[in-house]
Amino acid sequence: MNPVIEYRAVCKNYGSFVALRDVSFSVSKGEVVCLIGPSGSGKSTLLRCTNGLEQISGGAILLDGAPLPQTRAGMRAVRQRMGMVFQNFELFPHRSVFANVMMGPLTVLRMDHAAARARAEALLDKVGLADKAASMPAALSGGQQQRVAIARALAMEPAVMLFDEPTSALDPETIGEVLSVMKRLADEGMTMIVVTHEMTFARRVADRVVVFERGGVLLEQGPPRQIFDAPLMERTRDFLSHLDWSG
Amino acid sequence: MFDWDLSALEESWRFLLGGVGVTLGLSALTVATSLTLGIAVGVLRCYAGAWLRVPLTFYVDSMRAIPVLVVLVWMYFAFPLLTGVSAGPFWAALAALTVHVAAYVAEIVRAGIESVRPGQIRAALALGMSQPQLVMQVVLPQALVRMLPAIGSVVSVTIKDTAIAATIAVPEFMKRAETVAGQSYQPVQVYTAALVVYFLILFPTTRLIDRIHARVAHLGRS
Protein backbone atom coordinates (compact mmCIF):
# COMPACT_ATOMS: atom_id res chain seq x y z
CA MET A 1 0.00 0.00 0.00
CA ASN A 2 1.24 3.48 -0.80
CA PRO A 3 2.36 5.42 2.24
CA VAL A 4 0.40 8.56 3.19
CA ILE A 5 3.49 10.05 4.76
CA GLU A 6 7.03 9.09 4.04
CA TYR A 7 10.12 10.36 5.84
CA ARG A 8 13.27 10.04 3.75
CA ALA A 9 16.55 10.62 5.60
CA VAL A 10 15.04 13.61 7.40
CA CYS A 11 17.60 15.82 9.14
CA LYS A 12 16.95 18.82 11.33
CA ASN A 13 19.59 21.02 12.92
CA TYR A 14 19.28 24.05 15.14
CA GLY A 15 22.66 25.63 14.50
CA SER A 16 25.12 22.97 15.50
CA PHE A 17 22.53 21.06 17.54
CA VAL A 18 21.25 17.98 15.73
CA ALA A 19 17.58 17.36 16.45
CA LEU A 20 16.95 14.69 13.80
CA ARG A 21 19.54 12.57 12.05
CA ASP A 22 18.63 10.63 8.89
CA VAL A 23 15.18 9.56 10.01
CA SER A 24 13.40 7.32 7.51
CA PHE A 25 10.09 5.52 7.88
CA SER A 26 6.63 5.72 6.40
CA VAL A 27 3.04 5.72 7.54
CA SER A 28 0.32 3.93 5.56
CA LYS A 29 -3.30 4.90 5.28
CA GLY A 30 -5.25 3.94 8.38
CA GLU A 31 -2.12 3.13 10.32
CA VAL A 32 -1.53 4.27 13.91
CA VAL A 33 2.15 4.90 14.51
CA CYS A 34 3.38 5.77 17.99
CA LEU A 35 6.70 7.59 18.37
CA ILE A 36 8.37 6.86 21.69
CA GLY A 37 11.74 7.66 23.18
CA PRO A 38 13.37 9.87 25.77
CA SER A 39 12.68 13.60 25.79
CA GLY A 40 15.01 15.46 23.47
CA SER A 41 15.06 12.63 20.96
CA GLY A 42 13.37 14.68 18.25
CA LYS A 43 9.90 13.10 18.21
CA SER A 44 8.01 16.36 18.58
CA THR A 45 10.36 18.09 16.15
CA LEU A 46 9.59 15.43 13.55
CA LEU A 47 5.87 16.03 14.06
CA ARG A 48 6.31 19.79 13.62
CA CYS A 49 8.33 19.24 10.48
CA THR A 50 5.54 17.03 9.16
CA ASN A 51 3.08 19.92 8.91
CA GLY A 52 5.70 22.54 8.20
CA LEU A 53 5.71 24.32 11.56
CA GLU A 54 9.46 23.67 11.35
CA GLN A 55 11.55 23.39 8.20
CA ILE A 56 13.69 20.31 7.73
CA SER A 57 17.40 20.80 7.12
CA GLY A 58 17.86 17.79 4.88
CA GLY A 59 16.10 14.78 3.37
CA ALA A 60 12.45 14.89 2.38
CA ILE A 61 8.98 14.45 3.78
CA LEU A 62 6.43 13.18 1.27
CA LEU A 63 2.68 13.48 1.56
CA ASP A 64 0.88 11.09 -0.81
CA GLY A 65 4.14 10.68 -2.69
CA ALA A 66 4.79 14.39 -3.22
CA PRO A 67 7.38 16.36 -1.27
CA LEU A 68 6.00 19.01 1.06
CA PRO A 69 5.60 22.24 -0.91
CA GLN A 70 7.93 25.17 -0.32
CA THR A 71 5.38 27.92 -0.88
CA ARG A 72 3.28 29.39 1.91
CA ALA A 73 0.04 28.70 0.09
CA GLY A 74 1.11 25.14 -0.64
CA MET A 75 2.03 24.58 2.98
CA ARG A 76 -1.34 25.96 4.10
CA ALA A 77 -3.07 23.47 1.84
CA VAL A 78 -0.99 20.66 3.37
CA ARG A 79 -1.78 21.75 6.92
CA GLN A 80 -5.47 21.66 6.12
CA ARG A 81 -5.08 17.94 5.49
CA MET A 82 -3.25 17.29 8.75
CA GLY A 83 -4.90 17.81 12.11
CA MET A 84 -2.60 18.57 15.01
CA VAL A 85 -3.18 18.15 18.74
CA PHE A 86 -0.76 19.82 21.15
CA GLN A 87 0.51 18.98 24.60
CA ASN A 88 -0.94 22.21 26.01
CA PHE A 89 -4.22 21.98 24.04
CA GLU A 90 -3.81 25.51 22.65
CA LEU A 91 -7.52 26.17 22.45
CA PHE A 92 -8.23 29.78 21.59
CA PRO A 93 -9.10 31.25 25.00
CA HIS A 94 -11.18 34.13 23.63
CA ARG A 95 -13.60 31.85 21.81
CA SER A 96 -16.22 29.44 23.10
CA VAL A 97 -15.77 25.70 22.72
CA PHE A 98 -18.19 25.79 19.82
CA ALA A 99 -16.39 28.67 18.12
CA ASN A 100 -13.05 26.91 18.57
CA VAL A 101 -14.32 23.86 16.70
CA MET A 102 -15.92 25.98 13.97
CA MET A 103 -12.85 28.19 13.55
CA GLY A 104 -11.11 26.05 10.94
CA PRO A 105 -14.14 25.37 8.75
CA LEU A 106 -15.31 29.01 8.91
CA THR A 107 -11.97 30.77 8.51
CA VAL A 108 -9.89 28.39 6.46
CA LEU A 109 -12.44 26.37 4.49
CA ARG A 110 -14.87 29.31 4.25
CA MET A 111 -17.70 26.91 4.92
CA ASP A 112 -21.12 28.45 5.45
CA HIS A 113 -22.18 28.92 9.04
CA ALA A 114 -24.93 26.31 9.14
CA ALA A 115 -22.70 23.58 7.75
CA ALA A 116 -19.83 24.47 10.11
CA ARG A 117 -22.29 24.44 12.97
CA ALA A 118 -23.60 21.02 12.07
CA ARG A 119 -20.08 19.66 11.76
CA ALA A 120 -19.02 21.14 15.12
CA GLU A 121 -22.11 19.75 16.82
CA ALA A 122 -21.43 16.29 15.49
CA LEU A 123 -17.78 16.40 16.53
CA LEU A 124 -18.46 17.70 20.03
CA ASP A 125 -20.99 14.93 20.37
CA LYS A 126 -18.38 12.45 19.21
CA VAL A 127 -15.87 13.55 21.87
CA GLY A 128 -18.64 13.58 24.48
CA LEU A 129 -18.78 17.31 25.07
CA ALA A 130 -22.00 18.39 23.36
CA ASP A 131 -23.15 19.90 26.65
CA LYS A 132 -20.04 22.11 26.89
CA ALA A 133 -20.48 23.80 23.50
CA ALA A 134 -21.27 27.20 25.00
CA SER A 135 -18.51 27.09 27.65
CA MET A 136 -15.27 28.97 27.41
CA PRO A 137 -12.14 26.80 27.31
CA ALA A 138 -10.92 28.10 30.68
CA ALA A 139 -14.02 26.57 32.31
CA LEU A 140 -13.09 23.06 31.20
CA SER A 141 -10.80 20.46 32.74
CA GLY A 142 -7.59 19.59 30.93
CA GLY A 143 -9.04 16.37 29.57
CA GLN A 144 -12.10 18.19 28.29
CA GLN A 145 -9.97 20.89 26.68
CA GLN A 146 -7.88 18.27 24.93
CA ARG A 147 -11.01 16.54 23.61
CA VAL A 148 -12.20 19.89 22.25
CA ALA A 149 -8.79 20.33 20.65
CA ILE A 150 -9.19 16.94 18.96
CA ALA A 151 -12.64 17.98 17.72
CA ARG A 152 -11.19 21.26 16.44
CA ALA A 153 -8.54 19.38 14.45
CA LEU A 154 -11.09 16.86 13.13
CA ALA A 155 -13.33 19.69 11.95
CA MET A 156 -10.94 20.16 9.02
CA GLU A 157 -11.59 16.51 8.05
CA PRO A 158 -7.88 15.80 7.89
CA ALA A 159 -6.30 12.81 6.19
CA VAL A 160 -3.78 12.45 9.01
CA MET A 161 -3.87 13.35 12.69
CA LEU A 162 -0.68 14.37 14.47
CA PHE A 163 -0.68 14.08 18.27
CA ASP A 164 2.17 15.78 20.14
CA GLU A 165 2.22 14.28 23.64
CA PRO A 166 -1.53 14.81 23.97
CA THR A 167 -1.75 13.54 27.56
CA SER A 168 1.51 14.82 29.05
CA ALA A 169 -0.05 17.94 30.55
CA LEU A 170 -3.09 16.18 31.92
CA ASP A 171 -4.07 15.15 35.42
CA PRO A 172 -3.91 11.35 35.68
CA GLU A 173 -7.65 11.04 36.12
CA THR A 174 -8.41 12.76 32.82
CA ILE A 175 -5.86 10.94 30.67
CA GLY A 176 -8.20 8.02 30.09
CA GLU A 177 -10.97 10.08 28.51
CA VAL A 178 -8.53 11.52 25.95
CA LEU A 179 -6.98 8.16 25.15
CA SER A 180 -10.46 6.67 24.70
CA VAL A 181 -11.33 9.32 22.13
CA MET A 182 -8.05 8.62 20.33
CA LYS A 183 -8.67 4.86 20.43
CA ARG A 184 -12.09 5.34 18.88
CA LEU A 185 -10.54 7.50 16.19
CA ALA A 186 -7.99 4.77 15.47
CA ASP A 187 -10.74 2.16 15.30
CA GLU A 188 -12.54 4.29 12.70
CA GLY A 189 -9.46 4.03 10.50
CA MET A 190 -7.89 7.44 11.00
CA THR A 191 -4.23 7.65 10.06
CA MET A 192 -2.46 8.80 13.21
CA ILE A 193 1.07 9.69 14.27
CA VAL A 194 1.24 9.89 18.05
CA VAL A 195 4.17 11.11 20.11
CA THR A 196 3.49 9.65 23.51
CA HIS A 197 4.81 8.43 26.81
CA GLU A 198 1.67 6.34 27.35
CA MET A 199 3.12 2.90 26.73
CA THR A 200 -0.17 1.17 27.49
CA PHE A 201 -1.78 3.18 24.71
CA ALA A 202 1.10 2.43 22.32
CA ARG A 203 0.88 -1.27 23.14
CA ARG A 204 -2.88 -1.52 22.71
CA VAL A 205 -3.62 0.90 19.89
CA ALA A 206 -0.51 1.32 17.76
CA ASP A 207 -0.03 -0.72 14.61
CA ARG A 208 3.62 0.16 14.74
CA VAL A 209 5.93 1.71 17.31
CA VAL A 210 8.94 3.78 16.30
CA VAL A 211 11.64 4.21 18.94
CA PHE A 212 13.87 7.28 18.97
CA GLU A 213 16.96 7.89 21.02
CA ARG A 214 18.85 11.02 22.01
CA GLY A 215 20.40 12.80 19.08
CA GLY A 216 17.31 12.33 16.92
CA VAL A 217 18.17 8.85 15.74
CA LEU A 218 15.55 6.27 14.84
CA LEU A 219 16.58 3.29 16.91
CA GLU A 220 14.14 0.65 15.75
CA GLN A 221 10.56 0.16 14.70
CA GLY A 222 8.10 -2.67 14.67
CA PRO A 223 4.73 -3.87 15.88
CA PRO A 224 4.13 -3.11 19.57
CA ARG A 225 4.50 -6.73 20.60
CA GLN A 226 8.00 -6.84 19.20
CA ILE A 227 9.06 -3.47 20.63
CA PHE A 228 7.69 -4.04 24.10
CA ASP A 229 8.24 -7.79 24.52
CA ALA A 230 11.24 -8.58 22.37
CA PRO A 231 13.06 -5.41 21.29
CA LEU A 232 15.93 -6.01 18.93
CA MET A 233 18.03 -3.21 20.32
CA GLU A 234 19.56 -3.21 23.76
CA ARG A 235 18.98 0.53 24.06
CA THR A 236 15.25 0.11 23.46
CA ARG A 237 15.17 -2.32 26.35
CA ASP A 238 17.11 0.19 28.44
CA PHE A 239 14.68 2.98 27.65
CA LEU A 240 11.63 0.86 28.39
CA SER A 241 13.07 -0.47 31.62
CA HIS A 242 13.68 3.07 32.84
CA LEU A 243 9.98 3.81 32.47
CA ASP A 244 9.08 1.30 35.16
CA TRP A 245 9.80 2.43 38.65
CA SER A 246 11.48 -0.44 40.35
CA GLY A 247 12.29 1.26 43.63
CA MET B 1 -10.04 82.88 55.79
CA PHE B 2 -10.41 82.76 52.02
CA ASP B 3 -13.66 84.07 50.68
CA TRP B 4 -15.16 81.39 48.44
CA ASP B 5 -17.11 83.81 46.26
CA LEU B 6 -18.54 81.60 43.53
CA SER B 7 -20.05 84.38 41.42
CA ALA B 8 -17.71 83.80 38.45
CA LEU B 9 -18.63 80.12 38.29
CA GLU B 10 -22.32 80.96 38.66
CA GLU B 11 -22.11 83.45 35.82
CA SER B 12 -19.91 81.43 33.47
CA TRP B 13 -20.91 77.82 34.05
CA ARG B 14 -22.56 77.50 30.65
CA PHE B 15 -19.43 78.81 28.97
CA LEU B 16 -17.28 76.40 30.99
CA LEU B 17 -19.65 73.50 30.35
CA GLY B 18 -19.32 74.18 26.64
CA GLY B 19 -15.58 73.83 27.15
CA VAL B 20 -16.12 70.47 28.85
CA GLY B 21 -18.02 69.46 25.73
CA VAL B 22 -15.09 70.46 23.51
CA THR B 23 -12.68 68.62 25.83
CA LEU B 24 -14.80 65.47 25.72
CA GLY B 25 -15.18 65.72 21.96
CA LEU B 26 -11.47 66.23 21.41
CA SER B 27 -10.71 63.41 23.85
CA ALA B 28 -13.09 60.96 22.24
CA LEU B 29 -11.82 61.73 18.74
CA THR B 30 -8.18 61.55 19.83
CA VAL B 31 -8.71 58.23 21.60
CA ALA B 32 -10.46 56.80 18.54
CA THR B 33 -7.89 58.00 16.00
CA SER B 34 -4.82 57.19 18.08
CA LEU B 35 -6.09 53.69 18.94
CA THR B 36 -6.74 53.05 15.26
CA LEU B 37 -3.40 54.43 14.12
CA GLY B 38 -1.54 52.88 17.06
CA ILE B 39 -2.96 49.40 16.49
CA ALA B 40 -2.11 49.62 12.80
CA VAL B 41 1.45 50.78 13.52
CA GLY B 42 1.91 48.17 16.25
CA VAL B 43 0.69 45.33 14.03
CA LEU B 44 2.80 46.48 11.08
CA ARG B 45 5.88 46.79 13.29
CA CYS B 46 5.42 43.12 14.14
CA TYR B 47 4.51 41.71 10.74
CA ALA B 48 5.49 44.07 7.92
CA GLY B 49 8.71 43.86 5.93
CA ALA B 50 11.81 45.79 6.97
CA TRP B 51 11.09 48.55 4.44
CA LEU B 52 8.07 49.51 6.57
CA ARG B 53 9.29 48.43 9.99
CA VAL B 54 12.32 50.72 9.93
CA PRO B 55 10.45 53.98 9.27
CA LEU B 56 7.73 52.98 11.76
CA THR B 57 10.35 52.35 14.42
CA PHE B 58 11.82 55.76 13.67
CA TYR B 59 8.36 57.32 14.00
CA VAL B 60 7.68 55.64 17.34
CA ASP B 61 11.10 56.49 18.75
CA SER B 62 10.91 60.12 17.68
CA MET B 63 7.43 60.61 19.12
CA ARG B 64 8.66 59.23 22.42
CA ALA B 65 11.58 61.66 22.31
CA ILE B 66 9.63 64.85 21.51
CA PRO B 67 7.38 66.59 24.06
CA VAL B 68 3.75 66.55 22.99
CA LEU B 69 3.62 70.34 23.45
CA VAL B 70 6.32 70.74 20.82
CA VAL B 71 4.44 68.50 18.41
CA LEU B 72 1.29 70.50 19.06
CA VAL B 73 2.88 73.87 18.49
CA TRP B 74 4.68 72.60 15.37
CA MET B 75 1.45 71.17 14.02
CA TYR B 76 -0.39 74.45 14.52
CA PHE B 77 2.25 77.00 13.52
CA ALA B 78 4.72 75.19 11.23
CA PHE B 79 2.65 72.56 9.41
CA PRO B 80 0.30 75.09 7.69
CA LEU B 81 3.26 77.19 6.52
CA LEU B 82 5.07 74.15 5.12
CA THR B 83 2.08 72.58 3.39
CA GLY B 84 -0.36 75.39 2.85
CA VAL B 85 -2.97 73.27 4.64
CA SER B 86 -4.53 75.03 7.59
CA ALA B 87 -7.45 73.40 9.35
CA GLY B 88 -7.71 75.46 12.52
CA PRO B 89 -6.61 74.83 16.09
CA PHE B 90 -9.04 72.01 16.93
CA TRP B 91 -7.88 69.84 14.06
CA ALA B 92 -4.24 70.72 14.64
CA ALA B 93 -4.68 69.58 18.25
CA LEU B 94 -6.38 66.37 17.14
CA ALA B 95 -3.59 65.64 14.67
CA ALA B 96 -0.78 66.43 17.12
CA LEU B 97 -2.26 64.41 19.97
CA THR B 98 -3.01 61.53 17.62
CA VAL B 99 0.49 61.17 16.18
CA HIS B 100 1.92 61.45 19.67
CA VAL B 101 -0.41 59.08 21.51
CA ALA B 102 -0.50 56.54 18.66
CA ALA B 103 3.22 55.94 19.10
CA TYR B 104 2.64 54.87 22.71
CA VAL B 105 -0.35 52.76 21.70
CA ALA B 106 1.83 51.10 19.04
CA GLU B 107 4.39 50.09 21.65
CA ILE B 108 1.67 48.62 23.87
CA VAL B 109 0.19 46.74 20.92
CA ARG B 110 3.58 45.33 20.00
CA ALA B 111 4.19 44.13 23.56
CA GLY B 112 0.70 42.61 23.63
CA ILE B 113 1.26 40.76 20.36
CA GLU B 114 4.63 39.45 21.53
CA SER B 115 3.07 38.19 24.77
CA VAL B 116 0.76 35.74 22.97
CA ARG B 117 2.17 32.25 23.39
CA PRO B 118 3.92 30.75 20.36
CA GLY B 119 1.76 27.66 20.86
CA GLN B 120 -1.32 29.71 19.95
CA ILE B 121 0.30 30.69 16.67
CA ARG B 122 1.29 27.09 15.98
CA ALA B 123 -2.29 26.01 16.65
CA ALA B 124 -3.62 28.60 14.20
CA LEU B 125 -1.04 27.67 11.57
CA ALA B 126 -1.78 23.97 12.05
CA LEU B 127 -5.40 24.65 11.15
CA GLY B 128 -4.16 26.06 7.86
CA MET B 129 -4.72 29.74 8.65
CA SER B 130 -2.91 32.42 6.69
CA GLN B 131 -0.84 35.05 8.46
CA PRO B 132 -3.57 37.74 8.25
CA GLN B 133 -6.17 35.25 9.49
CA LEU B 134 -4.11 34.21 12.48
CA VAL B 135 -3.32 37.83 13.36
CA MET B 136 -6.95 38.94 13.15
CA GLN B 137 -8.61 35.86 14.63
CA VAL B 138 -6.13 34.57 17.18
CA VAL B 139 -3.32 36.96 18.10
CA LEU B 140 -4.96 40.41 18.12
CA PRO B 141 -8.09 39.49 20.10
CA GLN B 142 -5.95 38.02 22.88
CA ALA B 143 -3.37 40.79 22.69
CA LEU B 144 -6.06 43.49 22.90
CA VAL B 145 -7.52 41.96 26.04
CA ARG B 146 -4.10 41.80 27.67
CA MET B 147 -3.33 45.37 26.63
CA LEU B 148 -6.47 46.81 28.19
CA PRO B 149 -4.91 48.04 31.49
CA ALA B 150 -2.06 49.75 29.63
CA ILE B 151 -4.50 51.18 27.07
CA GLY B 152 -6.55 52.48 29.99
CA SER B 153 -3.56 54.48 31.22
CA VAL B 154 -2.98 55.88 27.75
CA VAL B 155 -6.64 56.87 27.44
CA SER B 156 -6.53 58.78 30.72
CA VAL B 157 -3.25 60.49 29.82
CA THR B 158 -4.77 61.40 26.45
CA ILE B 159 -7.82 63.02 28.03
CA LYS B 160 -5.58 64.99 30.37
CA ASP B 161 -3.24 65.98 27.56
CA THR B 162 -6.09 67.60 25.65
CA ALA B 163 -5.67 70.46 28.16
CA ILE B 164 -2.48 71.56 26.39
CA ALA B 165 -4.63 72.39 23.37
CA ALA B 166 -5.35 75.55 25.37
CA THR B 167 -1.93 76.83 24.26
CA ILE B 168 -3.13 77.04 20.65
CA ALA B 169 -6.47 78.52 21.71
CA VAL B 170 -8.71 75.52 21.20
CA PRO B 171 -11.79 76.59 23.16
CA GLU B 172 -11.72 73.50 25.36
CA PHE B 173 -12.32 73.44 29.09
CA MET B 174 -8.86 74.51 30.27
CA LYS B 175 -8.74 77.41 27.83
CA ARG B 176 -12.14 78.64 28.97
CA ALA B 177 -11.18 78.21 32.62
CA GLU B 178 -8.16 80.43 32.01
CA THR B 179 -10.38 83.03 30.34
CA VAL B 180 -12.93 83.04 33.18
CA ALA B 181 -10.21 83.07 35.84
CA GLY B 182 -8.49 86.02 34.17
CA GLN B 183 -11.60 88.07 33.68
CA SER B 184 -13.12 87.43 37.10
CA TYR B 185 -9.97 87.59 39.22
CA GLN B 186 -11.18 84.38 40.89
CA PRO B 187 -8.42 81.91 39.92
CA VAL B 188 -8.75 79.90 43.13
CA GLN B 189 -12.42 79.14 42.56
CA VAL B 190 -12.15 78.57 38.83
CA TYR B 191 -9.01 76.45 38.86
CA THR B 192 -10.29 74.43 41.80
CA ALA B 193 -13.40 73.78 39.75
CA ALA B 194 -11.09 72.72 36.90
CA LEU B 195 -9.36 70.18 39.19
CA VAL B 196 -12.69 68.76 40.23
CA VAL B 197 -14.06 68.58 36.69
CA TYR B 198 -11.02 66.73 35.33
CA PHE B 199 -11.19 64.33 38.27
CA LEU B 200 -14.88 63.72 37.67
CA ILE B 201 -14.18 62.93 34.02
CA LEU B 202 -11.15 60.74 34.55
CA PHE B 203 -11.81 58.82 37.74
CA PRO B 204 -14.88 57.00 36.37
CA THR B 205 -13.14 56.47 33.03
CA THR B 206 -10.16 54.64 34.52
CA ARG B 207 -12.42 52.69 36.84
CA LEU B 208 -14.63 51.68 33.93
CA ILE B 209 -11.67 50.40 31.94
CA ASP B 210 -10.41 48.43 34.97
CA ARG B 211 -13.82 46.85 35.40
CA ILE B 212 -14.06 45.95 31.73
CA HIS B 213 -10.64 44.34 31.96
CA ALA B 214 -11.57 42.40 35.08
CA ARG B 215 -14.55 41.04 33.19
CA VAL B 216 -12.72 40.01 30.01
CA ALA B 217 -9.23 39.17 31.34
CA HIS B 218 -9.86 35.42 31.08
CA LEU B 219 -10.33 35.76 27.31
CA GLY B 220 -6.69 36.68 26.92
CA ARG B 221 -5.26 33.95 29.12
CA SER B 222 -3.65 31.24 27.11
Side-chain angles (χ1 to χ4, degrees):
Chain A
M1 196 193 262
N2 286 333
V4 179
I5 290 181
E6 189 178 352
Y7 301 97
R8 279 191 193 157
V10 172
C11 296
K12 172 70 184 173
N13 312 319
Y14 296 98
S16 62
F17 177 77
V18 179
L20 292 168
R21 191 191 299 269
D22 283 334
V23 171
S24 298
F25 67 97
S26 57
V27 180
S28 305
K29 189 165 163 35
E31 205 180 11
V32 177
V33 175
C34 282
L35 311 185
I36 67 169
S39 50
S41 58
K43 314 176 297 288
S44 296
T45 303
L46 186 70
L47 223 51
R48 284 184 193 170
C49 289
T50 308
N51 68 350
L53 293 179
E54 304 264 4
Q55 300 298 316
I56 55 176
S57 319
I61 300 177
L62 285 71
L63 174 66
D64 289 330
L68 293 184
Q70 297 299 313
T71 62
R72 280 189 183 195
M75 209 54 237
R76 275 207 303 281
V78 164
R79 289 184 186 130
Q80 292 170 30
R81 303 187 47 212
M82 299 186 192
M84 190 166 201
V85 175
F86 300 85
Q87 184 175 348
N88 293 312
F89 332 129
E90 302 298 354
L91 292 179
F92 304 127
H94 57 296
R95 295 292 184 84
S96 71
V97 163
F98 210 42
N100 263 277
V101 180
M102 288 196 293
M103 187 89 114
L106 286 179
T107 312
V108 180
L109 302 179
R110 305 210 179 277
M111 195 183 264
D112 77 80
H113 206 271
R117 216 182 155 77
R119 188 179 279 191
E121 271 167 6
L123 284 168
L124 284 173
D125 195 43
K126 180 186 179 120
V127 300
L129 290 170
D131 57 325
K132 298 288 184 189
S135 306
M136 298 306 282
L140 304 185
S141 73
Q144 290 170 332
Q145 289 192 51
Q146 194 61 300
R147 286 187 281 155
V148 174
I150 293 172
R152 178 178 68 178
L154 290 174
M156 297 295 290
E157 301 199 324
V160 185
M161 283 287 281
L162 311 173
F163 291 86
D164 188 4
E165 302 198 22
T167 59
S168 297
L170 293 177
D171 292 329
E173 70 269 23
T174 66
I175 289 176
E177 64 194 55
V178 172
L179 294 180
S180 300
V181 167
M182 290 168 61
K183 167 93 166 62
R184 212 172 323 137
L185 212 51
D187 292 343
E188 289 169 8
M190 175 62 77
T191 309
M192 294 164 54
I193 306 178
V194 185
V195 173
T196 186
H197 296 294
E198 291 295 328
M199 296 306 154
T200 318
F201 177 83
R203 189 189 278 269
R204 281 182 49 200
V205 181
D207 297 302
R208 195 146 43 91
V209 176
V210 180
V211 188
F212 284 75
E213 69 170 339
R214 285 220 168 75
V217 175
L218 194 163
L219 195 55
E220 70 172 300
Q221 54 172 316
R225 195 169 300 166
Q226 176 201 318
I227 298 293
F228 291 110
D229 298 337
L232 300 175
M233 306 292 283
E234 183 62 35
R235 289 199 296 277
T236 303
R237 205 167 304 151
D238 270 0
F239 168 68
L240 292 171
S241 70
H242 282 118
L243 295 178
D244 294 324
W245 182 65
S246 49
Chain B
M1 187 67 195
F2 183 77
D3 175 20
W4 285 92
D5 175 4
L6 300 178
S7 59
L9 292 173
E10 278 161 18
E11 269 168 38
S12 307
W13 68 271
R14 279 173 211 279
F15 177 67
L16 291 170
L17 197 62
V20 171
V22 175
T23 290
L24 290 178
L26 181 59
S27 299
L29 278 175
T30 307
V31 165
T33 51
S34 50
L35 282 182
T36 309
L37 180 63
I39 289 171
V41 171
V43 168
L44 289 172
R45 273 195 79 189
C46 289
Y47 297 106
W51 62 275
L52 195 53
R53 276 207 315 268
V54 171
L56 288 177
T57 305
F58 178 72
Y59 155 67
V60 169
D61 286 351
S62 50
M63 278 305 138
R64 295 201 297 176
I66 303 170
V68 60
L69 181 60
V70 178
V71 179
L72 179 76
V73 168
W74 186 90
M75 198 63 91
Y76 184 56
F77 293 107
F79 184 77
L81 294 176
L82 288 173
T83 60
V85 180
S86 174
F90 183 89
W91 301 107
L94 176 63
L97 288 166
T98 296
V99 294
H100 183 79
V101 175
Y104 286 88
V105 173
E107 279 301 276
I108 294 169
V109 170
R110 192 166 67 104
I113 286 173
E114 285 170 0
S115 78
V116 174
R117 272 222 317 255
Q120 287 284 302
I121 292 157
R122 280 198 284 270
L125 286 175
L127 280 177
M129 283 192 199
S130 65
Q131 179 99 326
Q133 285 170 341
L134 86 86
V135 171
M136 297 307 289
Q137 308 257 358
V138 175
V139 177
L140 260 192
Q142 294 181 52
L144 288 172
V145 169
R146 291 169 183 211
M147 283 163 356
L148 216 44
I151 294 286
S153 306
V154 168
V155 166
S156 66
V157 170
T158 303
I159 298 172
K160 287 189 275 188
D161 278 356
T162 59
I164 66 161
T167 55
I168 57 169
V170 176
E172 47 74 72
F173 178 59
M174 192 58 210
K175 177 69 197 168
R176 294 191 187 196
E178 282 172 7
T179 308
V180 174
Q183 287 173 354
S184 65
Y185 301 106
Q186 293 185 354
V188 175
Q189 292 88 329
V190 175
Y191 288 141
T192 304
L195 287 184
V196 172
V197 166
Y198 276 110
F199 179 82
L200 288 179
I201 294 172
L202 279 149
F203 187 73
T205 306
T206 50
R207 273 301 142 93
L208 177 69
I209 292 171
D210 283 353
R211 287 188 62 172
I212 293 172
H213 181 248
R215 192 161 295 180
V216 300
H218 66 281
L219 301 178
R221 228 171 267 149
S222 66

